[in-house]
């Protein structure tokens, strides 16, 4: 299999274990100037970024108490929304700068982690987040950032990218750079216990999308392929079982982080180009969009990607094409097809234009134009019936 000449990066200390949140304080103590103590006259300040939904779980309060017991001053912000907005990121960064925050902890799904990652970068760099759209546009590496995922789909805990919605342009932008990797990823599978089952389904399918797109894109390398296969060997069988089983959720969370290691180095492709275009324009959930779009995109680009899917099908012991397996999982999990998203066809042309302009479009093995993306959006169940 041909691979790109590109480096594999992972300067993140990764902890994957039940109870792993106990590593948050030691990791902060390792990177903050001067070890914090409970009796310090001027304790370092830490920004804890989460969302309103997680305030209904024990986790934010437990982590805040652990940080305070270690002598840290904690500022909690639970205002992050799905598809985090640039203006909210800028406001939160201003708050963190004014408070003299020395580090950031992100506790949540992909939106929270992307928001916290962006704020950590802005703590060390002036201006607003849209100033840094693209790759390596900032001068100084981020402030220490501890990423604590609470879903099994983001992968953001091990990547160098933050995806932010720009409401002025109705698009999603990517801010990435070698200095934006989290300091540590604390993947505590206990935190999935409170995740609603439908979110386990869509975020799990999001992770599947990450692993598959890592394998079929032009920037793939032997390390990312190996990790993607390891992720899929956990994710695909687990999604076919009881999603309320703690063992299943553990496998999904493991697979999600490993998939993040893969796509964080090999990029994503047409599925994300479409899902980010739709999310930026219509504010629909990212994981749901990837789950819906994955099989149609794989079918549309089959001629170019099928040789790269064969190792996946062999590795998983599938008796049918991977596209059909993905569609069967989608149906089993109660996830809609493209028409079921309810997108007004009047938006198709704009979505397709935005998808073609996405920074990951160049990673596709097929030269994807707006016309290609528009044809995928017009897919109907009759053309590609769901497989059971």
């Amino acid at each position: 299999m041909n691979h790109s000449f590109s480096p594999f990066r992972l300067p993140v200390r990764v902890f994957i274990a039940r109870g792993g949140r106990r590593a948050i304080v030691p990791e902060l103590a390792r990177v903050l100037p001067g070890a914090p103590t409970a009796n310090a006259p001027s304790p370092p300040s830490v920004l804890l970024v989460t969302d309103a939904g997680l305030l209904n779980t024990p986790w934010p309060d437990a982590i805040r108490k652990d940080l305070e017991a270690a002598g840290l001053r904690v500022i909690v912000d639970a205002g992050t929304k799905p598809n985090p907005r640039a203006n909210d990121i800028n406001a939160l960064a201003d708050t963190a700068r004014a408070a003299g925050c020395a580090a950031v902890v992100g506790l949540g799904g992909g939106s929270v982690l992307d928001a916290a990652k962006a704020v950590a970068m802005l703590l060390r760099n002036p201006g607003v987040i849209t100033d840094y759209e693209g790759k390596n546009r900032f001068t100084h590496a981020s402030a220490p950032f501890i990423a604590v995922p609470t879903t099994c789909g983001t992968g953001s805990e091990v990547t160098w990218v933050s995806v932010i919605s720009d409401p002025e342009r109705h698009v999603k932008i990517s801010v990435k750079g070698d200095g934006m990797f989290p300091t540590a990823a604390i993947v505590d599978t206990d935190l999935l216990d409170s995740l609603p089952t439908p979110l386990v389904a869509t975020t799990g399918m999001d992770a599947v999308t990450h692993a598959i797109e890592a394998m079929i894109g032009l920037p793939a390398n032997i390390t990312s392929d190996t990790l993607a296969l390891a992720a899929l060997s956990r994710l695909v069988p687990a999604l076919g079982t009881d999603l309320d089983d703690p063992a299943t959720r553990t496998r999904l969370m493991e697979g999600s982080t490993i998939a993040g290691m893969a796509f964080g180095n090999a990029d994503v492709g047409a599925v994300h180009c479409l899902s980010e275009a739709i999310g930026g324009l219509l504010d629909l959930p990212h994981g749901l969009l990837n789950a819906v779009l994955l099989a149609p995109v794989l079918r549309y680009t089959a001629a170019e990607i099928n040789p790269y899917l064969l190792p996946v099908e062999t590795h998983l012991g599938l008796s049918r094409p991977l596209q059909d397996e993905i569609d069967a999982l989608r149906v089993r999990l109660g996830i809609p097809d493209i028409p079921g998203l309810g997108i007004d066809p009047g938006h198709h042309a704009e979505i397709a234009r935005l998808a073609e302009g996405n920074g990951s479009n160049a990673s596709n093995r097929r030269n994807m134009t707006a016309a290609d993306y528009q044809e995928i959006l017009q897919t109907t169940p009759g053309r590609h019936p769901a497989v059971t």
Side-chain angles (χ1 to χ4, degrees):
M1 184 177 293
N2 294 325
H3 291 106
S4 68
F5 186 72
S6 58
F8 182 87
R9 306 174 180 87
L10 190 64
V12 184
R13 289 163 62 89
V14 182
F15 300 78
I16 306 178
R18 283 195 172 272
R21 62 190 178 279
R22 292 191 297 270
I24 296 173
V25 168
E27 283 302 293
L28 283 173
R30 188 179 63 82
V31 295
L32 286 174
T37 65
N39 298 318
S42 180
S45 295
V46 174
L47 176 67
L48 174 59
V49 182
T50 188
D51 63 40
L54 278 165
L55 292 181
N56 297 318
T57 74
W59 311 124
D61 195 50
I63 290 172
R64 177 187 59 79
K65 289 178 179 177
D66 287 346
L67 294 171
E68 290 176 341
L72 294 163
R73 177 171 172 261
V74 184
I75 298 166
V76 179
D77 183 274
T80 299
K81 304 178 182 68
N83 299 318
R85 280 74 162 165
N87 52 325
D88 292 335
I89 299 297
N90 297 332
L92 184 54
D94 285 342
T95 297
R97 288 165 175 157
C101 289
V104 180
V105 176
L107 172 70
S111 294
V112 166
L113 297 188
D114 279 7
K117 191 184 297 181
V119 171
M121 186 274 288
L122 289 174
L123 279 176
R124 296 278 180 87
N125 294 276
V128 296
I129 193 63
T130 50
D131 294 338
Y132 301 102
E133 181 177 359
K135 183 187 296 184
N136 285 321
R137 298 286 303 276
F138 49 88
T139 302
H140 303 290
S142 297
F145 168 46
I146 309 297
V148 189
T150 60
T151 69
C152 47
T154 172
S156 183
E157 68 273 13
V158 289
T159 74
W160 67 344
V161 61
S162 173
V163 179
I164 304 297
S165 292
D166 182 350
E168 291 188 4
R169 292 185 286 161
H170 299 288
V171 298
K172 284 194 171 185
I173 65 168
S174 291
V175 178
K176 65 177 68 172
D178 293 282
M180 274 186 73
F181 280 101
T183 305
I186 311 297
V187 186
D188 184 345
T189 55
D190 281 344
L191 304 188
L192 280 190
D193 290 349
S194 56
L195 190 67
T197 304
L199 279 178
V200 174
T202 57
T203 58
M205 288 290 281
D206 186 17
V208 170
T209 305
H210 293 155
I212 291 174
E213 290 208 299
M215 290 200 69
I216 62 178
L218 291 171
N221 57 68
I222 187 63
T223 311
S224 60
D225 277 359
T226 302
L227 289 165
L229 281 174
L232 290 168
S233 71
R234 287 165 169 78
L235 294 164
V236 174
L239 284 168
T241 61
D242 179 10
L243 298 189
D244 292 323
D245 183 347
T248 297
R249 294 185 173 209
T250 294
R251 298 286 281 178
L252 290 172
M253 201 166 200
E254 293 169 348
S256 173
T257 297
I258 297 169
M261 298 175 189
F263 90 84
N265 281 273
D267 203 11
V268 288
V271 178
H272 277 75
C273 292
L274 269 176
S275 66
E276 290 176 7
I278 297 168
L281 189 66
L282 303 176
D283 203 28
L284 293 178
H286 178 73
L288 170 65
L289 291 171
N290 280 346
V292 171
L293 293 165
L294 179 55
V297 169
L298 294 181
R299 288 195 175 101
Y300 190 84
T301 59
E304 292 78 16
I305 67 170
N306 274 351
Y308 302 90
L309 293 181
L310 284 175
V312 180
E313 294 163 355
T314 300
H315 187 75
L316 295 178
L318 300 182
S319 59
R320 56 186 169 188
L322 182 62
Q323 298 94 319
D324 291 349
E325 184 72 18
I326 296 301
D327 230 3
L329 282 175
R330 177 187 63 77
V331 172
R332 180 186 182 276
L333 296 170
I335 296 170
D337 53 18
I338 291 176
L341 291 172
I343 298 172
D344 186 335
H347 290 304
H348 285 181
E350 178 65 4
I351 291 168
R353 183 189 69 79
L354 292 170
E356 183 181 2
N358 188 286
S360 294
N361 195 40
S363 294
N364 290 310
R365 292 191 180 274
R366 175 171 179 154
N367 180 27
M368 295 291 289
T369 67
D372 293 306
Y373 286 116
Q374 191 156 356
E375 187 168 345
I376 292 170
L377 290 170
Q378 292 165 350
T379 297
T380 65
R383 291 175 61 193
H384 296 307
V387 184
T388 58

